[in-house]
PDB file of all heavy atoms in Angstrom:
ATOM      1  N   CYS O 298      98.246  94.663  67.992  1.00  0.00           N
ATOM      2  CA  CYS O 298      99.534  94.308  67.570  1.00  0.00           C
ATOM      3  C   CYS O 298     100.032  92.901  68.246  1.00  0.00           C
ATOM      4  O   CYS O 298     100.520  92.077  67.535  1.00  0.00           O
ATOM      5  CB  CYS O 298     100.591  95.345  68.007  1.00  0.00           C
ATOM      6  SG  CYS O 298     100.573  96.799  66.997  1.00  0.00           S
ATOM      7  N   VAL O 299      99.754  92.765  69.503  1.00  0.00           N
ATOM      8  CA  VAL O 299      99.999  91.461  70.270  1.00  0.00           C
ATOM      9  C   VAL O 299      99.319  90.352  69.512  1.00  0.00           C
ATOM     10  O   VAL O 299      99.952  89.284  69.287  1.00  0.00           O
ATOM     11  CB  VAL O 299      99.707  91.694  71.735  1.00  0.00           C
ATOM     12  CG1 VAL O 299      99.852  90.255  72.374  1.00  0.00           C
ATOM     13  CG2 VAL O 299     100.627  92.651  72.412  1.00  0.00           C
ATOM     14  N   ARG O 300      97.958  90.381  69.291  1.00  0.00           N
ATOM     15  CA  ARG O 300      97.219  89.391  68.705  1.00  0.00           C
ATOM     16  C   ARG O 300      97.768  89.011  67.314  1.00  0.00           C
ATOM     17  O   ARG O 300      98.107  87.921  67.039  1.00  0.00           O
ATOM     18  CB  ARG O 300      95.769  89.710  68.702  1.00  0.00           C
ATOM     19  CG  ARG O 300      94.929  88.783  68.032  1.00  0.00           C
ATOM     20  CD  ARG O 300      93.449  89.298  67.767  1.00  0.00           C
ATOM     21  NE  ARG O 300      93.671  90.484  66.855  1.00  0.00           N
ATOM     22  CZ  ARG O 300      93.924  90.384  65.522  1.00  0.00           C
ATOM     23  NH1 ARG O 300      94.061  89.348  64.952  1.00  0.00           N
ATOM     24  NH2 ARG O 300      93.865  91.492  64.835  1.00  0.00           N
ATOM     25  N   TRP O 301      97.904  90.191  66.557  1.00  0.00           N
ATOM     26  CA  TRP O 301      98.298  89.908  65.154  1.00  0.00           C
ATOM     27  C   TRP O 301      99.620  89.286  64.896  1.00  0.00           C
ATOM     28  O   TRP O 301      99.855  88.445  64.213  1.00  0.00           O
ATOM     29  CB  TRP O 301      98.068  91.299  64.433  1.00  0.00           C
ATOM     30  CG  TRP O 301      98.469  91.353  63.041  1.00  0.00           C
ATOM     31  CD1 TRP O 301      98.070  90.612  62.031  1.00  0.00           C
ATOM     32  CD2 TRP O 301      99.265  92.316  62.418  1.00  0.00           C
ATOM     33  NE1 TRP O 301      98.597  91.008  60.842  1.00  0.00           N
ATOM     34  CE2 TRP O 301      99.407  92.150  61.064  1.00  0.00           C
ATOM     35  CE3 TRP O 301     100.046  93.485  62.996  1.00  0.00           C
ATOM     36  CZ2 TRP O 301     100.147  92.917  60.196  1.00  0.00           C
ATOM     37  CZ3 TRP O 301     100.759  94.169  62.094  1.00  0.00           C
ATOM     38  CH2 TRP O 301     100.811  93.908  60.673  1.00  0.00           C
ATOM     39  N   LEU O 302     100.593  89.859  65.635  1.00  0.00           N
ATOM     40  CA  LEU O 302     101.955  89.396  65.430  1.00  0.00           C
ATOM     41  C   LEU O 302     102.177  88.067  66.075  1.00  0.00           C
ATOM     42  O   LEU O 302     102.808  87.217  65.458  1.00  0.00           O
ATOM     43  CB  LEU O 302     103.027  90.482  66.082  1.00  0.00           C
ATOM     44  CG  LEU O 302     102.915  91.856  65.451  1.00  0.00           C
ATOM     45  CD1 LEU O 302     103.852  92.906  66.101  1.00  0.00           C
ATOM     46  CD2 LEU O 302     103.257  91.832  63.862  1.00  0.00           C
ATOM     47  N   SER O 303     101.585  87.839  67.247  1.00  0.00           N
ATOM     48  CA  SER O 303     101.667  86.511  67.836  1.00  0.00           C
ATOM     49  C   SER O 303     101.161  85.425  67.025  1.00  0.00           C
ATOM     50  O   SER O 303     101.696  84.296  66.902  1.00  0.00           O
ATOM     51  CB  SER O 303     100.997  86.547  69.333  1.00  0.00           C
ATOM     52  OG  SER O 303     101.610  87.362  70.186  1.00  0.00           O
ATOM     53  N   GLU O 304     100.014  85.693  66.408  1.00  0.00           N
ATOM     54  CA  GLU O 304      99.287  84.673  65.580  1.00  0.00           C
ATOM     55  C   GLU O 304     100.132  84.247  64.448  1.00  0.00           C
ATOM     56  O   GLU O 304     100.007  83.155  63.852  1.00  0.00           O
ATOM     57  CB  GLU O 304      98.065  85.176  65.189  1.00  0.00           C
ATOM     58  CG  GLU O 304      96.858  85.280  66.212  1.00  0.00           C
ATOM     59  CD  GLU O 304      95.593  85.828  65.633  1.00  0.00           C
ATOM     60  OE1 GLU O 304      95.579  86.360  64.558  1.00  0.00           O
ATOM     61  OE2 GLU O 304      94.624  85.819  66.390  1.00  0.00           O
ATOM     62  N   ASN O 305     101.022  85.106  64.104  1.00  0.00           N
ATOM     63  CA  ASN O 305     102.092  84.852  63.011  1.00  0.00           C
ATOM     64  C   ASN O 305     103.375  84.475  63.460  1.00  0.00           C
ATOM     65  O   ASN O 305     104.323  84.535  62.603  1.00  0.00           O
ATOM     66  CB  ASN O 305     102.106  86.074  61.956  1.00  0.00           C
ATOM     67  CG  ASN O 305     100.869  86.261  61.246  1.00  0.00           C
ATOM     68  OD1 ASN O 305     100.717  85.656  60.121  1.00  0.00           O
ATOM     69  ND2 ASN O 305      99.922  87.088  61.710  1.00  0.00           N
ATOM     70  N   GLY O 306     103.514  83.987  64.667  1.00  0.00           N
ATOM     71  CA  GLY O 306     104.605  83.401  65.221  1.00  0.00           C
ATOM     72  C   GLY O 306     105.808  84.309  65.615  1.00  0.00           C
ATOM     73  O   GLY O 306     106.845  83.863  65.876  1.00  0.00           O
ATOM     74  N   LEU O 307     105.499  85.617  65.901  1.00  0.00           N
ATOM     75  CA  LEU O 307     106.495  86.499  66.297  1.00  0.00           C
ATOM     76  C   LEU O 307     106.366  86.780  67.810  1.00  0.00           C
ATOM     77  O   LEU O 307     105.277  86.537  68.346  1.00  0.00           O
ATOM     78  CB  LEU O 307     106.375  87.769  65.588  1.00  0.00           C
ATOM     79  CG  LEU O 307     106.476  87.836  64.059  1.00  0.00           C
ATOM     80  CD1 LEU O 307     106.289  89.158  63.441  1.00  0.00           C
ATOM     81  CD2 LEU O 307     107.740  87.206  63.569  1.00  0.00           C
ATOM     82  N   VAL O 308     107.501  87.066  68.435  1.00  0.00           N
ATOM     83  CA  VAL O 308     107.530  87.308  69.889  1.00  0.00           C
ATOM     84  C   VAL O 308     107.249  88.847  70.048  1.00  0.00           C
ATOM     85  O   VAL O 308     107.997  89.639  69.627  1.00  0.00           O
ATOM     86  CB  VAL O 308     108.933  86.952  70.408  1.00  0.00           C
ATOM     87  CG1 VAL O 308     109.024  87.273  71.936  1.00  0.00           C
ATOM     88  CG2 VAL O 308     109.254  85.576  70.279  1.00  0.00           C
ATOM     89  N   VAL O 309     106.193  89.025  70.846  1.00  0.00           N
ATOM     90  CA  VAL O 309     105.682  90.348  71.094  1.00  0.00           C
ATOM     91  C   VAL O 309     105.051  90.492  72.500  1.00  0.00           C
ATOM     92  O   VAL O 309     104.449  89.563  72.908  1.00  0.00           O
ATOM     93  CB  VAL O 309     104.807  90.829  70.026  1.00  0.00           C
ATOM     94  CG1 VAL O 309     103.569  90.033  69.879  1.00  0.00           C
ATOM     95  CG2 VAL O 309     104.392  92.393  70.181  1.00  0.00           C
ATOM     96  N   GLY O 310     105.227  91.560  73.160  1.00  0.00           N
ATOM     97  CA  GLY O 310     104.569  91.672  74.445  1.00  0.00           C
ATOM     98  C   GLY O 310     103.991  93.066  74.702  1.00  0.00           C
ATOM     99  O   GLY O 310     104.677  94.114  74.166  1.00  0.00           O
ATOM    100  N   ALA O 311     102.851  93.227  75.251  1.00  0.00           N
ATOM    101  CA  ALA O 311     102.303  94.478  75.569  1.00  0.00           C
ATOM    102  C   ALA O 311     102.962  94.993  76.760  1.00  0.00           C
ATOM    103  O   ALA O 311     103.109  94.359  77.797  1.00  0.00           O
ATOM    104  CB  ALA O 311     100.784  94.468  75.800  1.00  0.00           C
ATOM    105  N   VAL O 312     103.260  96.307  76.839  1.00  0.00           N
ATOM    106  CA  VAL O 312     103.880  96.960  77.972  1.00  0.00           C
ATOM    107  C   VAL O 312     102.584  97.407  78.784  1.00  0.00           C
ATOM    108  O   VAL O 312     101.906  98.372  78.440  1.00  0.00           O
ATOM    109  CB  VAL O 312     104.664  98.228  77.590  1.00  0.00           C
ATOM    110  CG1 VAL O 312     105.250  98.863  78.810  1.00  0.00           C
ATOM    111  CG2 VAL O 312     105.892  97.800  76.721  1.00  0.00           C
ATOM    112  N   ARG O 313     102.382  96.769  79.962  1.00  0.00           N
ATOM    113  CA  ARG O 313     101.239  97.063  80.818  1.00  0.00           C
ATOM    114  C   ARG O 313     101.634  97.757  82.123  1.00  0.00           C
ATOM    115  O   ARG O 313     102.669  97.478  82.652  1.00  0.00           O
ATOM    116  CB  ARG O 313     100.540  95.778  81.115  1.00  0.00           C
ATOM    117  CG  ARG O 313     100.155  94.901  79.922  1.00  0.00           C
ATOM    118  CD  ARG O 313      99.202  93.809  80.272  1.00  0.00           C
ATOM    119  NE  ARG O 313      99.125  92.743  79.347  1.00  0.00           N
ATOM    120  CZ  ARG O 313      98.445  92.742  78.220  1.00  0.00           C
ATOM    121  NH1 ARG O 313      97.643  93.917  77.916  1.00  0.00           N
ATOM    122  NH2 ARG O 313      98.422  91.756  77.369  1.00  0.00           N
TER     123      ARG O 313
END
Side-chain angles (χ1 to χ4, degrees):
C298 284
V299 171
R300 177 194 56 76
W301 177 50
L302 298 175
S303 297
E304 286 176 351
N305 286 278
L307 301 182
V308 177
V309 60
V312 179
R313 307 191 197 279

